[in-house]
Amino acid sequence: MRKSRSILPLLALFAVSASALAGQQRNMTAEERARMAAERERRTQEELVSERPIEAFDTVWIEEMTWMEVRDAMAAGKTTAIITTGGIEQNGPYLATGKHNYVLQGACEGVARELGNALCAPIVKLVPEGDIDEPSGHMRYPGTISLRQETFEAVLDDVASSLKAHGFEHIILFGDSGGNQSGMEAVAARLNERWYDGQAHFIPEFYRYRDVHQWMNDELGIFETDPEGIHDDFVITAIMMVEDPAMVRYDERVAAGRASINGVSIAPKEEAIATGKKLLRFRVEETVKAIRASIEASMAEAGR
C-alpha cells in the first residue's frame, strides 16, 4: 500500500504537466499548431531513416526484434510475414492447455528460416474454443479460454492489416487447431478482396495431421497401437517435448509409470525429443512447399 501512495505525487505532477501542455496547445494559433505538427513529423521521418546503432539480433520473431531490426530485415528482402494461430484448451491429463502454441513456437521459426525471406508475427494464442455463456466444446473444461468467432476474425484482420501497412507483401496464415481453420480461410479471402498491393495466403497443409501420422508410420516405423481416447497423441507430445518436456509433464509421468501415449513410449526423453524434431521437420518442409506454391500461384495470377 505504501508503494501505491508513493507514486501519487508523480501521477499528480504528470497530470498537471499534461494539463499545462494541453492548455498551451489550446492557446496556440492554427499556424503555430501546424508548425508543431510539422516539426513532430520531421523528427519522426528522421528517426525512421536513422542508422541502427548496434548489430541486429538473430531472430525471426517480430516481437523479439527492435523496430529498426524489422525495418532493415524488410529492406534486405524479408517481406513475407507469418501469422499462426494456436489456442488455450483442454488437452487431456498430461498436456498443458497451451499445447498448440508450443507446437507453433518451433514450427513458425522453422518455416520462416526455411523460407529465408519471412518473419513470424506473435502467435495468436486465443481462438474460438466453444461457446462461453453456455459452455460447449473445450469450454466445458477449466482453463480453456475462448474467443467469439467474430472476435477471432477481427483480430486476424487487424494483425494482417498492420503487417501489410508496414510493407509486407505476403501474409501467411496457418494454425494448429481444427477450429481455427475456417476463420483463417475466411479472413484471407476477405483481405484478398480488399487488397491490391498485398496477398494473404491460408495454408491448410500445416494442419494435415493425418499426413504426419502416415509419415511417422512409413518413415519412422512408429505406430500408435493402443488408443487411449483422450485429446492427446504421440505426434503432438513428441513435438511439444522439443520445446519443453515439462509441458507434457514428462518427469511426473515417469514417476507415475505413465510415460507413454496410445501405446508409444515417450521415454527415454532424448529419443522422444529426437523423434519430435523429425516430425516437426516434416511438417515444416510440407508447409514451406505449400507456401511457395501459393505465392507462385498468386504472382502468376497477378501477371508478375
Side-chain angles (χ1 to χ4, degrees):
M1 185 63 69
R2 284 195 298 271
K3 287 184 178 179
S4 297
R5 282 199 290 265
S6 69
I7 67 170
L8 290 178
L10 292 175
L11 292 175
L13 179 60
F14 175 79
V16 169
S17 299
S19 177
L21 180 59
Q24 280 183 339
Q25 291 178 342
R26 280 196 299 270
N27 293 329
M28 287 181 180
T29 65
E31 290 79 8
E32 289 171 332
R33 286 196 293 272
R35 282 199 296 272
M36 178 180 286
E39 177 59 21
R40 283 199 301 267
E41 179 61 20
R42 184 191 65 78
R43 287 198 294 264
T44 298
Q45 291 301 322
E46 284 185 354
E47 187 176 20
L48 287 171
V49 297
S50 60
E51 185 177 349
R52 190 179 71 244
I54 56 175
E55 288 296 316
F57 183 62
D58 182 16
T59 182
V60 294
W61 291 95
I62 290 174
E63 64 195 293
E64 296 178 355
M65 304 172 78
T66 68
W67 74 266
M68 286 183 166
E69 289 170 339
V70 176
R71 176 200 64 188
D72 295 347
M74 293 180 69
K78 294 185 186 296
T79 55
T80 294
I82 305 171
I83 301 171
T84 55
T85 66
I88 302 292
E89 64 187 35
Q90 76 84 12
N91 295 292
Y94 310 123
L95 305 188
T97 57
K99 170 185 78 175
H100 295 302
N101 305 323
Y102 289 102
V103 169
L104 291 168
Q105 192 70 33
C108 193
E109 174 140 3
V111 169
R113 291 193 182 277
E114 182 70 17
L115 286 172
N117 65 343
L119 298 176
C120 293
I123 298 167
V124 178
K125 296 183 177 183
L126 302 180
V127 306
E129 298 285 8
D131 294 333
I132 298 172
D133 292 335
E134 294 185 14
S136 66
H138 292 309
M139 272 300 296
R140 298 179 65 191
Y141 297 81
T144 300
I145 299 174
S146 188
L147 296 185
R148 288 169 292 174
Q149 187 68 27
E150 61 267 30
T151 303
F152 174 60
E153 293 187 15
V155 168
L156 291 182
D157 191 305
D158 284 353
V159 174
S161 297
S162 295
L163 294 166
K164 179 188 161 295
H166 295 307
F168 285 97
E169 298 173 3
H170 295 281
I171 310 298
I172 311 300
L173 296 100
F174 63 79
D176 196 52
S177 182
N180 304 359
Q181 306 300 308
S182 63
M184 289 185 293
E185 184 175 20
V187 169
R190 287 199 296 271
L191 291 174
N192 286 330
E193 289 177 0
R194 195 166 78 225
W195 291 350
Y196 64 88
D197 56 350
Q199 192 76 24
H201 306 263
F202 167 57
I203 308 298
E205 287 83 356
F206 179 78
Y207 190 63
R208 290 181 180 168
Y209 268 101
R210 182 180 299 178
D211 293 349
V212 186
H213 280 270
Q214 190 64 54
W215 185 85
M216 179 178 74
N217 298 159
D218 296 343
E219 299 298 324
L220 303 182
I222 298 173
F223 297 84
E224 294 184 315
T225 57
D226 187 18
E228 297 180 31
I230 59 176
H231 193 199
D232 189 0
D233 61 47
F234 180 74
V235 167
I236 202 86
T237 296
I239 293 176
M240 283 180 70
M241 288 179 70
V242 174
E243 190 65 28
D244 187 352
M247 294 302 102
V248 307
R249 302 300 186 261
Y250 178 82
D251 291 338
E252 292 80 2
R253 289 164 75 173
V254 169
R258 293 181 175 272
S260 67
I261 180 65
N262 294 346
V264 182
S265 176
I266 64 170
K269 182 193 310 183
E270 294 73 20
E271 289 185 11
I273 291 173
T275 299
K277 289 179 178 178
K278 293 175 184 177
L279 293 167
L280 181 60
R281 185 64 191 169
F282 171 76
R283 296 187 73 186
V284 165
E285 290 176 349
E286 292 301 297
T287 303
V288 167
K289 289 178 190 174
I291 291 171
R292 285 176 172 157
S294 182
I295 290 176
E296 288 174 6
S298 69
M299 294 178 71
E301 185 177 345
R304 300 184 197 178

